[in-house]
Amino acid sequence: MNTTEVIVRESSFHPFFRVFGSISFLLVSSSVLVSLTSSMVLLLSFILQGVKVDTPLLVAAFALTFAVYSLDRVMNQKEDLINDPDRSRLFMGRERMWTVVATAALASSVAVGAREGLSVLVTLLSPLGVYAAYSVGLPSAPRLKQIPVVKNVVLVGTWALVPTLLPSLRAIGPAGGKGTLLSLLIFYFIFTKIMINSILFDLRDVKGDSASGVRTLPVILGVPHVRRLLLLLNATLIVWTVVCWLLDSFLQYLPILAASIVYGFWYVHFFTKHSQKRILVDLLVDGEWIPLTLATTLVYVLT
């Protein structure tokens, strides 16, 4: 049982926090939080690129992410039984139900993408191919999950490229003005943040990955080296901020983005020391995109 669940189930704990803990556990374990995060990343990209927000695409991104993660958790319960038995019990014995729900979510995402055009549909669904290579494997090739570093780069690259490309494909209204360079800056910020998060999640899942023969960076390098690597990655975003300032890009949003970078230093340090607190990693790392994007949206509306 994870740390938060132990706390909220204590009889002396305030009922509000017991309810909050139960809701948080359900949101995290059922993939709702990571799906909402996917929509937030796409919304942030729309705002940074100065493109009118396409709400149906935000819904499609949520649905696709929910489908991919739900199917992954249905098909790969061996690791979850070790890493997070509580989450595994949410899916175990209910595989058919979750498969139907995930398929319905996928179908709705396809329907929205098809209405937006072929280029949007192909871009939106590209994570499906990566998921197949990552979790199931392709003919005569190992699963990406079993190839150190490569799986992080390919997975994170896909999840960062999709929200970077979709706004430019659906450019309705005034565009950002700096074209490719603007897109590269946005891609690098999203890629770096998600890469840090991905490695932190691998650190959290070391026990199950080791038992399953999955050689992630934390399994290979150990915690101290992973901590230094993550801090270095996050430090490159300081240089990114300076470049944006010199190029007069995202100036009104830089204080919020800089605060996110500072926050990144904190949670890398904290969760490389306390990686066993599973639900906190989801809420404070994946969940970071929600206040970050909402704050950016507020500045966008006000300016």
Side-chain angles (χ1 to χ4, degrees):
M1 187 179 298
N2 61 65
T3 305
T4 303
E5 285 289 286
V6 171
I7 293 174
V8 300
R9 290 182 184 181
E10 291 181 0
S11 59
S12 60
F13 210 72
H14 193 284
F16 170 80
F17 293 102
R18 289 168 59 89
V19 173
F20 174 77
S22 299
I23 293 174
S24 299
F25 175 74
L26 182 61
L27 290 177
V28 168
S29 299
S30 65
S31 306
V32 171
L33 179 64
V34 70
S35 304
L36 182 58
T37 294
S38 177
S39 296
M40 291 294 103
V41 174
L42 179 56
L43 175 57
L44 180 66
S45 182
F46 269 111
I47 293 172
L48 293 181
Q49 293 193 46
V51 175
K52 183 179 179 181
V53 177
D54 188 329
T55 304
L57 269 186
L58 300 182
V59 176
F62 177 96
L64 178 70
T65 307
F66 184 85
V68 169
Y69 275 82
S70 296
L71 289 172
D72 180 67
R73 287 170 180 175
V74 166
M75 297 177 64
N76 295 284
Q77 293 189 31
K78 180 180 178 181
E79 293 90 343
D80 278 349
L81 279 171
I82 301 172
N83 290 325
D84 194 346
D86 283 330
R87 185 176 73 183
S88 180
R89 282 195 289 270
L90 186 65
F91 287 84
M92 189 173 296
R94 303 181 180 93
E95 290 85 357
R96 180 174 296 181
M97 180 195 76
W98 282 108
T99 300
V100 170
V101 172
T103 303
L106 178 59
S108 65
S109 180
V110 171
V112 172
R115 289 185 59 186
E116 301 281 354
L118 181 60
S119 59
V120 171
L121 178 62
V122 171
T123 303
L124 181 65
L125 296 183
S126 58
L128 283 177
V130 176
Y131 163 72
Y134 169 78
S135 189
V136 181
L138 300 176
S140 304
R143 294 189 303 167
L144 286 180
K145 196 172 186 177
Q146 297 173 326
I147 308 176
V149 184
V150 172
K151 72 104 175 176
N152 291 95
V153 173
V154 174
L155 270 181
V156 174
T158 303
W159 286 113
L161 189 61
V162 171
T164 303
L165 290 178
L166 284 177
S168 61
L169 294 174
R170 290 296 294 128
I172 305 172
K178 290 190 174 63
T180 303
L181 180 58
L182 189 73
S183 295
L184 287 174
L185 288 172
I186 294 170
F187 173 80
Y188 186 79
F189 180 83
I190 296 174
F191 177 86
T192 304
K193 294 288 290 184
I194 298 180
M195 176 63 79
I196 292 171
N197 297 356
S198 173
I199 297 174
L200 274 177
F201 294 146
D202 285 342
L203 183 64
R204 180 188 65 178
D205 295 336
V206 162
K207 187 176 179 180
D209 289 337
S210 298
S212 303
V214 178
R215 301 179 69 244
T216 60
L217 279 176
V219 172
I220 297 171
L221 298 178
V223 175
H225 291 296
V226 166
R227 183 185 301 115
R228 285 192 287 269
L229 173 63
L230 295 181
L231 291 174
L232 178 62
L233 275 174
N234 200 59
T236 65
L237 291 176
I238 299 176
V239 179
W240 178 89
T241 304
V242 174
V243 171
C244 290
W245 180 73
L246 292 174
L247 294 174
D248 292 331
S249 298
F250 323 130
L251 292 184
Q252 68 268 44
Y253 309 120
L254 281 185
I256 298 171
L257 299 174
S260 172
I261 297 168
V262 173
Y263 178 65
F265 282 114
W266 174 80
Y267 69 60
V268 166
H269 176 76
F270 182 81
F271 287 117
T272 51
K273 298 282 188 179
H274 308 282
S275 59
Q276 76 279 7
K277 298 181 179 179
R278 299 186 54 82
I279 200 167
L280 289 181
V281 180
D282 289 299
L283 292 174
L284 298 182
V285 176
D286 254 354
E288 176 202 4
W289 290 99
I290 299 174
L292 168 61
T293 302
L294 292 179
T296 305
T297 304
L298 179 62
V299 172
Y300 171 76
V301 171
L302 294 177
T303 58

